[in-house]
């Protein structure tokens, strides 16, 4: 399958305008070990992906609004896909998911909720908040690698994602 390329537009620096990039995956997870495991698992995956990470709901919102430390679109590119840990600080009522899905500029971005053995009520709440998918977090690295291969093959290669908005 052919990976759908992204292009840098607008305020990109010299030499970057029109340059093809791999899709950006934004991971919101407070656990540094979990972020490192996802990064390593993506490296083992089927194709390239640009992983960016944030540690809290507030940082996620700054990233998506390109504020604070995330003002520069070259270092904080628009994500093609957002992964949000169910236990993300500030996400008690799935506020991070609701925030993305209630924003007309962001709601087109698929949001995947990662949860440690989600209970049916948590799964239902995540879908009610607007999550596109809920995935149980694998407990081993090999299981995570397998999940990331299937996951990226679907979301970044097979699925027709909405076009990037300016």
């Amino acid at each position: 399958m052919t990976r759908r390329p992204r292009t840098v537009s607008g305020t990109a620096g010299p030499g970057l305008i029109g340059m093809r990039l791999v899709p950006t995956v934004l991971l919101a997870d407070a656990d540094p070990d979990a972020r490192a495991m996802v990064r390593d698992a993506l490296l083992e995956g089927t194709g390239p992906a640009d992983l960016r990470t944030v540690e809290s709901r507030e940082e996620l919102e700054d990233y998506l609004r390109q504020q604070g430390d995330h003002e520069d679109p070259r270092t904080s590119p628009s994500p093609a896909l957002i992964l949000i840990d169910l236990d993300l600080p500030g996400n008690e009522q799935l506020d991070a998911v609701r925030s993305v899905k209630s924003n007309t500029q962001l709601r087109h971005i698929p949001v995947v909720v990662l949860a440690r053995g989600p209970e049916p009520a948590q799964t239902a709440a995540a879908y009610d908040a607007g999550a596109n998918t809920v995935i149980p977090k694998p407990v081993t690295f090999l299981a995570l690698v397998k999940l990331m291969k299937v996951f990226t093959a679907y979301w970044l290669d097979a699925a027709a994602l909405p076009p990037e908005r300016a």
Side-chain angles (χ1 to χ4, degrees):
M1 287 188 182
T2 303
R3 183 172 301 282
R4 184 177 58 89
R6 290 176 51 255
T7 57
V8 175
S9 61
T11 60
L16 294 178
I17 295 175
M19 186 173 113
R20 291 178 177 261
L21 298 176
V22 296
T24 298
V25 176
L26 178 58
L27 171 64
D29 195 321
D31 182 355
D33 293 333
R35 291 192 310 268
M37 284 181 60
V38 168
R39 181 197 65 230
D40 293 346
L42 281 173
L43 289 172
E44 297 285 329
T46 57
D50 173 27
L51 180 67
R52 305 297 169 130
T53 62
V54 294
E55 300 178 18
S56 68
R57 175 182 166 219
E58 292 77 22
E59 189 180 5
L60 173 65
E61 290 181 4
D62 282 352
Y63 185 104
L64 293 171
R65 292 184 182 133
Q66 294 186 322
Q67 299 174 341
D69 293 340
H70 303 285
E71 288 181 18
D72 189 345
R74 292 174 293 181
T75 57
S76 299
S78 257
L81 180 65
I82 302 171
L83 309 176
I84 300 176
D85 179 43
L86 186 65
D87 299 324
L88 183 71
N91 192 36
E92 286 73 26
Q93 302 298 316
L94 292 153
D95 295 327
V97 177
R98 290 181 204 289
S99 177
V100 171
K101 292 303 182 177
S102 67
N103 184 316
T104 58
Q105 297 298 312
L106 303 173
R107 76 174 81 186
H108 69 283
I109 302 171
V111 173
V112 176
V113 172
L114 302 170
R116 297 187 204 303
E119 297 179 14
Q122 292 174 314
T123 300
Y127 283 113
D128 286 344
N132 296 88
T133 304
V134 177
I135 297 178
K137 279 187 170 182
V139 292
T140 68
F141 180 71
L142 289 177
L144 181 62
V145 168
K146 182 178 178 182
L147 173 66
M148 285 294 126
K149 284 182 180 181
V150 171
F151 181 80
T152 57
Y154 174 75
W155 281 109
L156 302 179
D157 291 338
L161 298 176
E164 187 174 324
R165 297 184 181 176

